[in-house]
Amino acid sequence: MIAIVLIGLAAGCASALMFASIISGALISLLLFYLAPLPLMVAALGWGPLAATIGGIVAASGLGAIFGLPYCIAFAITVALPAWWLGHLALLGRPQADPAAGNGAAPAAPQLEWYPVGRILLWIASFAALTTIAAMLTLGSDAETITNSLRSGLMRILGPRDAASSRDIERWVAALAIIAPAAATIVAMMTLTLNLWLAGKITATSGRLQRPWPDLKSAELPPMTLVALCVALALCFVGGLVAMFAQIATTALMMAYGLTGFAVLHTLTLAFKSRIFWLCCIYAIVIAFGWPVLAMIALGLADAIFGLRQRYLRGKPPPLPAS
């Protein structure tokens, strides 16, 4: 118990320092800010959710005492809560039923069924949408006020250097203000996903991971996610604040399907001889240009509708017996 408390305190202090580093304005502080959930996630996966709970409470309290209540609330919603809950879900398992137990056979050690990766991905999308919506509500209580606040903030950052470029800057700012909520959702989604993956790798490398490494290429979202995506898409055309929140939810779910699209890609390329090379090329293209992620989203949606992975795996020949 003492070790858990000490680990929680250390993780909380590290996370709080990384979160507060954004105040310095240095470029490296942006990276530290986005990696703020990592220490708490490592504590949750390696020493249990209680360590992340202790660290989150200590960090939020310290930030609130030093910088004020808004920093405390922001840290609790965007860092501490997702780190604790995702760590809890990753370690959540239940024993599987043993079919041989009723045949007079000796009961074997219970096998655990771990919480599905696809459902964890859906929770990440939910947290990304929640944090983005909370951030938008700090700017105003209606869509017009939020958009005007975003436009004003972007104008201060990208203000024209001379009068001749004023109109061009205003057009760019107007476009950026419209896509800013979706962009913020994408950043939140990718940040949480990367932090959880890094935390899993760190704890697995150190031997502290309390569950086997999951088969990521089999990750799939629950079937009702497609229904939720259709509802969110329909609400995007309502207008006002509802449409803005629906666009945020749609973006989060689309990115979730994009990540499952990568899982589909890893499955469909199993028979490729130069599989690692082609996967690296695709990842490099997506990271360099960004827009090719639309193909991954389409691949994830196609798998959800038509079951591409199941069809591919059923069509594969059975493995040869070991000699």
Side-chain angles (χ1 to χ4, degrees):
M1 185 62 187
I2 296 177
I4 292 176
V5 172
L6 293 177
I7 291 295
L9 290 174
C13 292
S15 185
L17 288 173
M18 295 167 73
F19 183 84
S21 66
I22 196 67
I23 299 175
S24 67
L27 187 60
I28 189 64
S29 67
L30 189 62
L31 176 62
L32 294 174
F33 175 79
Y34 285 132
L35 292 177
L38 182 59
L40 293 177
M41 287 184 177
V42 170
L45 293 177
W47 286 266
L50 179 59
T53 303
I54 295 172
I57 293 174
V58 169
S61 302
L63 289 171
I66 298 173
F67 300 106
L69 186 60
Y71 278 86
C72 173
I73 296 175
F75 180 86
I77 294 177
T78 62
V79 177
L81 180 61
W84 165 73
W85 185 244
L86 293 176
H88 166 71
L89 292 179
L91 299 180
L92 197 61
R94 62 183 181 185
Q96 291 180 328
D98 186 3
N103 300 331
Q111 297 292 324
L112 291 179
E113 178 185 3
W114 297 99
Y115 197 78
V117 175
R119 292 184 180 272
I120 294 178
L121 192 58
L122 186 59
W123 274 105
I124 292 176
S126 301
F127 278 121
L130 173 64
T131 54
T132 306
I133 289 173
M136 293 300 109
L137 288 176
T138 62
L139 302 176
S141 57
D142 59 86
E144 185 177 358
T145 304
I146 293 173
T147 304
N148 290 336
S149 299
L150 289 171
R151 189 181 293 115
S152 300
L154 290 170
M155 279 299 295
R156 287 194 296 269
I157 299 173
L158 305 173
R161 304 298 180 186
D162 51 65
S165 61
S166 177
R167 291 184 179 178
D168 292 337
I169 292 294
E170 288 180 358
R171 284 196 292 267
W172 276 105
V173 165
L176 289 174
I178 294 174
I179 66 173
T185 307
I186 293 173
V187 171
M189 181 80 183
M190 294 297 98
T191 300
L192 284 175
T193 304
L194 178 62
N195 275 292
L196 186 60
W197 182 83
L198 284 175
K201 282 296 183 181
I202 291 171
T203 50
T205 303
S206 64
R208 293 290 312 184
L209 187 61
Q210 301 178 27
R211 59 161 293 171
W213 188 260
D215 182 15
L216 297 180
K217 68 178 179 294
S218 65
E220 58 181 0
L221 297 172
M224 289 303 294
T225 308
L226 200 58
V227 178
L229 177 60
C230 293
V231 173
L233 277 172
L235 291 176
C236 289
F237 300 96
V238 172
L241 199 61
V242 174
M244 177 178 287
F245 291 170
Q247 291 166 8
I248 291 172
T250 300
T251 303
L253 293 176
M254 285 288 193
M255 291 307 299
Y257 275 110
L259 292 174
T260 59
F262 282 106
V264 176
L265 182 68
H266 277 257
T267 300
L268 299 183
T269 56
L270 285 173
F272 285 22
K273 292 184 178 179
S274 303
R275 178 172 179 261
I276 301 298
F277 170 76
W278 289 113
L279 289 176
C280 290
C281 289
I282 293 172
Y283 275 100
I285 292 172
V286 172
I287 293 173
F289 298 100
W291 63 263
V293 74
L294 295 174
M296 295 296 102
I297 294 174
L299 190 58
L301 289 171
D303 179 71
I305 297 172
F306 302 109
L308 299 181
R309 278 178 289 188
Q310 288 78 3
R311 293 171 182 266
Y312 173 78
L313 294 175
R314 281 201 302 265
K316 289 186 63 178
L320 296 175
S323 56

